[in-house]
Amino acid sequence: MDYIHPIDELILSEDNVQVNIWVGRRGIITNTHYDTTYNFFVQLQGRKRFTLFQPSDPLYVYPCLHPHYGHSQVDITRPDLNKFPSFRKASVYRAELGPGDMLFVPPFWFHHVETLEESISVNVWSNSPEYSTINEIYSKPIPFEEEWGLHDRVFALRLYLTMLLTHLVSDHPENFLLQLKKQRYELLVDAGNINTNPIVLSDLRMLCEAVTISTSLSEDLLTRKFTGSLEVIAPLFKAVSSGTRELMAGNYIEHLLHTVLGIDYVYPFLSNCIINSTTNL
């Protein structure tokens, strides 16, 4: 394959570079997903069809703690608009690649790939600013204390998430969290693909009803504590585009809930500890 040399011309970062060759028969499908890196895709033989969506499009991504993290729950070839009503708002872009064609897929752009005939392709993934931003955000300590009990952690999380999302999203913070629950979790829970502990759900519901009344933590002190943390991470989130920022914020919130409360409490928190607010999801 000397005719595609040098591959270095497709590398935008020297860090974490991966070069792949893809060989497949007609009919192979790569389901809709996003990557956090730059992706330069070169078709050598045969044809492939890419269907792409912007990061801001409502693709109903799987939870980031799910094995299909980064993938869409929507079958874009036969979308069920009763299950995924907001998908009708998505903007669809298509590109059919033949021998010698190259496609650049930006970070966090969703793409679905169909092999139309026997195919050979190569691609290069290399680090993007978004990828580096993710690593930097996750390297920062979270402003929660190990000695806090569950009651105090829930109270602190509600305050912290409200402050964080006020910085990051144009929608009301509660609406963003409700949308996160509805688009990532509800269909999976209803289908039994995510197990929920009814005792945890019930306990957290009662706890969240009581936590607004009584806590050992001072809201003023917490606000000052969280302000210092947000002064560090909010500018990192704001350095990326709004659609990418909201995807990243959703992932960060899931990981935060997992770390502070435990994996069994992520969906119950989103179900029971968010102040109800009317929103079109």
Side-chain angles (χ1 to χ4, degrees), residues 86-178:
S86 291
F87 179 71
R88 59 170 52 90
K89 302 174 186 176
S91 301
V92 183
Y93 302 85
R94 291 188 175 90
E96 189 170 310
L97 274 60
D101 289 337
M102 186 185 82
L103 178 68
F104 170 59
V105 183
F108 285 94
W109 273 65
F110 293 91
H111 47 290
H112 172 281
V113 189
E114 180 182 359
T115 303
L116 303 177
E117 55 192 47
E118 290 188 355
S119 169
I120 301 175
S121 320
V122 295
N123 86 302
V124 174
W125 286 315
S126 65
N127 274 3
S128 65
E130 291 86 347
Y131 179 87
S132 300
T133 296
I134 292 168
N135 288 336
E136 189 169 357
I137 289 170
Y138 280 83
S139 72
K140 306 303 180 188
I142 58 175
F144 291 78
E145 305 297 337
E146 290 186 8
E147 63 269 19
W148 289 349
L150 180 61
H151 187 280
D152 290 338
R153 284 184 232 168
V154 167
F155 176 81
L157 274 166
R158 292 173 72 167
L159 176 61
Y160 182 74
L161 292 179
T162 298
M163 293 176 65
L164 171 69
L165 292 172
T166 299
H167 281 282
L168 300 187
V169 300
S170 57
D171 202 356
H172 199 280
E174 283 76 19
N175 286 352
F176 181 88
L177 293 170
L178 289 168

Side-chain angles (χ1 to χ4, degrees), residues 3-277:
Y3 57 101
I4 64 166
H5 182 81
I7 203 74
D8 289 347
E9 293 182 2
L10 303 180
I11 297 173
L12 297 188
S13 168
E14 295 297 329
D15 300 324
N16 197 33
V17 174
Q18 184 175 336
V19 181
N20 309 285
I21 184 167
W22 308 92
V23 180
R25 58 177 172 77
R26 181 178 180 272
I28 290 177
I29 298 291
T30 300
N31 290 324
T32 311
H33 68 287
Y34 66 82
D35 302 305
T36 59
T37 53
Y38 291 122
N39 183 0
F40 287 91
F41 193 95
V42 180
Q43 189 68 19
L44 303 180
Q45 178 179 311
R47 305 191 72 80
K48 285 188 174 180
R49 180 184 297 121
F50 278 71
T51 305
L52 301 104
F53 304 88
Q54 299 177 72
S56 58
D57 283 330
L59 269 289
Y60 294 82
V61 295
Y62 281 92
C64 66
L65 304 173
H66 191 279
H68 296 320
Y69 163 58
H71 286 70
S72 170
Q73 298 178 46
V74 183
D75 178 357
I76 69 160
T77 64
R78 296 183 298 274
D80 185 339
L81 296 180
N82 291 321
K83 290 174 64 176
F84 308 107
S86 291
F87 179 71
R88 59 170 52 90
K89 302 174 186 176
S91 301
V92 183
Y93 302 85
R94 291 188 175 90
E96 189 170 310
L97 274 60
D101 289 337
M102 186 185 82
L103 178 68
F104 170 59
V105 183
F108 285 94
W109 273 65
F110 293 91
H111 47 290
H112 172 281
V113 189
E114 180 182 359
T115 303
L116 303 177
E117 55 192 47
E118 290 188 355
S119 169
I120 301 175
S121 320
V122 295
N123 86 302
V124 174
W125 286 315
S126 65
N127 274 3
S128 65
E130 291 86 347
Y131 179 87
S132 300
T133 296
I134 292 168
N135 288 336
E136 189 169 357
I137 289 170
Y138 280 83
S139 72
K140 306 303 180 188
I142 58 175
F144 291 78
E145 305 297 337
E146 290 186 8
E147 63 269 19
W148 289 349
L150 180 61
H151 187 280
D152 290 338
R153 284 184 232 168
V154 167
F155 176 81
L157 274 166
R158 292 173 72 167
L159 176 61
Y160 182 74
L161 292 179
T162 298
M163 293 176 65
L164 171 69
L165 292 172
T166 299
H167 281 282
L168 300 187
V169 300
S170 57
D171 202 356
H172 199 280
E174 283 76 19
N175 286 352
F176 181 88
L177 293 170
L178 289 168
Q179 184 180 44
L180 183 71
K181 178 194 67 146
K182 186 173 182 65
Q183 293 199 355
R184 296 194 183 195
Y185 283 89
E186 282 193 351
L187 290 168
L188 298 173
V189 170
D190 291 345
N193 293 326
I194 292 181
N195 293 324
T196 56
N197 185 326
I199 296 175
V200 171
L201 278 167
S202 176
D203 289 349
L204 207 58
R205 183 180 301 115
M206 290 187 293
L207 178 62
C208 288
E209 289 172 355
V211 79
T212 57
I213 302 171
S214 173
T215 179
S216 63
L217 300 177
S218 162
E219 184 170 342
D220 289 340
L221 290 176
L222 281 178
T223 299
R224 289 196 290 271
K225 180 184 181 72
F226 293 161
T227 297
S229 176
L230 294 174
E231 286 175 350
V232 175
I233 69 166
L236 297 174
F237 276 108
K238 290 179 179 179
V240 301
S241 65
S242 59
T244 298
R245 182 188 314 140
E246 294 196 1
L247 266 178
M248 289 170 54
N251 295 345
Y252 176 80
I253 288 166
E254 286 189 73
H255 282 120
L256 180 67
L257 294 175
H258 176 212
T259 301
V260 175
L261 298 179
I263 193 167
D264 290 339
Y265 287 85
V266 176
Y267 176 74
F269 180 92
L270 292 172
S271 295
N272 297 300
C273 298
I274 308 303
I275 299 171
N276 289 328
S277 181

